[in-house]
Amino acid sequence: MTARFACDARVRAATRAPGPVADNGAVESSGPAQTTEPAMTGEPRDVVILGSTGSIGTQALDIIRRNPGRFRVTALAAGGGQPDLLARQAAEFGVAAVAVATPAAAAQVQAVLRDYFLGRTEHDARVPDTPRAAGGIPEVLVGPDAVCEVAGWPCDVVLNGVTGAAGLAATLAALDAGRVLALANKESLIIGGPLVTSRAKPGQIVPVDSEHSTIAQCLRAGRYSEVRRLVLTASGGPFRGWSRDRLTDVTPQQALAHPTWNMGPLVTVNCATLVNKGLEVIEAHLLFGFGLDRIDVVVHPQSIVHSMVEFADGASVLMASPPDMRLPISLSLAWPDRVPGAAPGLDWTDAAAWTFEPLDDAAFPAVALAREAAAVGGTAPAAYNAANEACVAGFLAGQISFTRIVDTVARIVSEHDAARSAATTVADVLAVDDWARRRARELNT
């Protein structure tokens, strides 16, 4: 690991056990970035992207595409839901390896790559020419362990954009290989807890969530000992201001209509229930090492202020930008440097108003419940996360009501066996994950 990845003391604390969402929609390439600052000196950073066909992955590739002198992609990984896109990404960026979890999808990826490199058939128009493509057909790794294999691939930075609990093994593989981990897969940290933080070296984890990226930036404004509290902002979702009684009849279509962000169904529903903010409270606790009583949540519907840090003298330092995930993604790839032109800035010539409101814990108890799970520690957050994912699936399928999502999660967290809370292996964590999902399905049938 080179010296340029060294983080300051505030982010070093993120990798220690206590004492790195949403996206901005379709990614469009606008050509080379208009650089207003000197480019990073030295060789480009080699990047491995896990979950390359998802929202985080495609936006990361957009950043890299527009900054070829700063980054190059050495390997990609995806589940296999979009094999044609994965193959086109691999060809465009000239990667050495591609990992595909699904064998059937891997066969399609291999076929498209062969067409491009050997036949130049119908894929010509969709795969741009690239100087690195002459290196030959990428190695295609197949199976459930393939993502972990490329997580340890030789590189400078691993961006983990895998969705859900499946990202845990890849997170550990990247840490064990000594890579800097740009962490978008918050679930792996939340369910892994000390299993993850104890294996991370100082400065090795850089958060990608916009809130935690913001906190990492704001913490650079003072000494760690001067921090009074962290404040996470929440948009409030589509039901901000609603009473609990009114939430009973919410439909999946209503829950999926987020006012600010364009996201996948799980994260969108999590934002509507505020479970996502509960997960982020746990994430901030684990990343930065502050007690749960020093991590607050405030509702900010404009989604311009992405979180803040309050210092001992009463000053609050915040970061403001349009809601665009390319900013925290680019910062995670280049940390501690910034990438000019990564995302548009605010237009200060337009009149604007920012509002902040207290969180309604009575209508949205998910954040308080997450605090309870984090206070128990061990695998309790894993139970919280797994139960919620199962309940969201039930809600989207029309099996349970909106309010029953968090009610069921609360019951499962209360049933969680604290005696087996101390996870020492991935198998321990996944066993609790499996139990919580099965229990949620039992309660919701």
Side-chain angles (χ1 to χ4, degrees):
M1 189 184 307
T2 58
R4 65 183 184 232
F5 289 107
C7 295
D8 57 63
R10 272 70 66 188
V11 181
R12 288 195 186 99
T15 64
R16 298 172 185 159
V21 230
D23 71 75
N24 59 300
V27 176
E28 298 179 1
S29 177
S30 56
Q34 298 300 308
T35 302
T36 57
E37 299 177 14
M40 181 180 64
T41 58
E43 290 294 313
R45 291 186 179 180
D46 288 335
V47 181
V48 168
I49 299 179
L50 312 180
S52 67
T53 58
S55 171
I56 296 295
T58 53
Q59 291 179 93
L61 289 172
D62 175 56
I63 294 162
I64 294 169
R65 180 183 295 115
R66 292 186 288 118
N67 293 273
R70 297 190 68 146
F71 309 104
R72 65 187 166 215
V73 187
T74 61
L76 299 172
Q82 301 181 76
D84 190 68
L85 174 58
L86 178 59
R88 286 187 281 122
Q89 290 174 339
E92 176 185 353
F93 290 93
V95 303
V98 180
V100 192
T102 308
Q108 188 171 342
V109 169
Q110 289 172 319
V112 175
L113 288 173
R114 282 195 300 270
D115 286 346
Y116 174 66
F117 282 92
L118 303 178
R120 301 288 296 173
T121 60
E122 71 274 11
H123 299 285
D124 288 10
R126 292 181 293 170
V127 183
D129 287 322
T130 167
R132 302 188 69 223
I137 300 177
E139 179 180 359
V140 178
L141 310 173
V142 186
D145 297 328
V147 175
C148 291
E149 186 171 347
V150 297
W153 203 262
C155 68
D156 296 307
V157 184
V158 174
L159 172 62
N160 188 352
V162 173
T163 300
L168 174 58
T171 283
L172 295 175
L175 293 175
D176 290 345
R179 313 298 176 226
V180 169
L181 176 64
L183 186 61
N185 174 247
K186 67 165 67 72
E187 295 89 349
S188 62
L189 176 64
I190 290 164
I191 71 175
L195 185 63
V196 173
T197 58
S198 64
R199 288 161 79 159
K201 298 178 178 67
Q204 197 175 359
I205 299 177
V206 180
V208 174
D209 266 356
S210 61
E211 295 83 358
H212 304 84
S213 175
T214 293
I215 290 172
Q217 295 172 65
C218 293
L219 284 170
R220 299 167 79 176
R223 292 192 297 273
Y224 205 67
S225 60
E226 296 175 322
V227 175
R228 179 179 293 167
R229 62 175 178 156
L230 312 180
V231 182
L232 301 174
T233 56
S235 71
F239 310 123
R240 179 175 60 88
W242 288 34
S243 66
R244 180 173 171 81
D245 289 342
R246 188 180 176 191
L247 291 169
T248 303
D249 297 324
V250 161
T251 66
Q253 290 73 23
Q254 290 175 305
L256 291 171
H258 196 280
T260 306
W261 299 97
N262 177 22
M263 305 167 288
L266 173 62
V267 180
T268 304
V269 174
N270 285 351
C271 287
T273 60
L274 265 73
V275 162
N276 197 54
K277 203 54 52 179
L279 293 172
E280 289 174 1
V281 168
I282 301 173
E283 183 181 9
H285 171 60
L286 293 169
L287 274 175
F288 301 109
F290 290 99
L292 295 164
D293 60 338
R294 297 171 65 189
I295 303 173
D296 293 341
V297 173
V298 64
V299 175
H300 170 55
Q302 293 80 23
S303 297
I304 297 297
V305 174
H306 299 288
S307 283
M308 59 194 90
V309 174
E310 181 182 308
F311 289 90
D313 60 358
S316 292
V317 176
L318 56 86
M319 194 279 288
S321 72
D324 191 322
M325 279 301 296
R326 279 170 286 193
L327 197 157
I329 292 170
S330 66
L331 190 61
S332 74
L333 297 177
W335 185 268
D337 301 320
R338 296 183 182 274
V339 179
L346 292 168
D347 184 354
W348 295 102
T349 64
D350 286 344
W354 301 346
T355 60
F356 301 89
E357 308 164 9
L359 178 64
D360 184 351
D361 284 316
F364 300 96
V367 174
L369 179 59
R371 293 181 188 278
E372 293 177 17
V376 172
T379 53
Y384 177 98
N385 179 74
N388 173 72
E389 290 188 7
C391 288
V392 169
F395 167 68
L396 293 175
Q399 298 169 351
I400 63 173
S401 68
F402 181 78
T403 53
R404 190 168 170 182
I405 295 173
V406 178
D407 288 347
T408 303
V409 174
R411 177 169 175 178
I412 291 171
V413 169
S414 70
E415 292 178 357
H416 173 261
D417 183 3
R420 63 176 182 181
S421 183
T424 57
T425 67
V426 173
D428 294 336
V429 173
L430 296 182
V432 171
D433 181 277
D434 180 66
W435 166 79
R437 292 175 193 274
R438 284 187 288 103
R439 184 60 179 144
R441 289 191 290 268
E442 291 172 2
L443 292 171
N444 291 330
T445 55

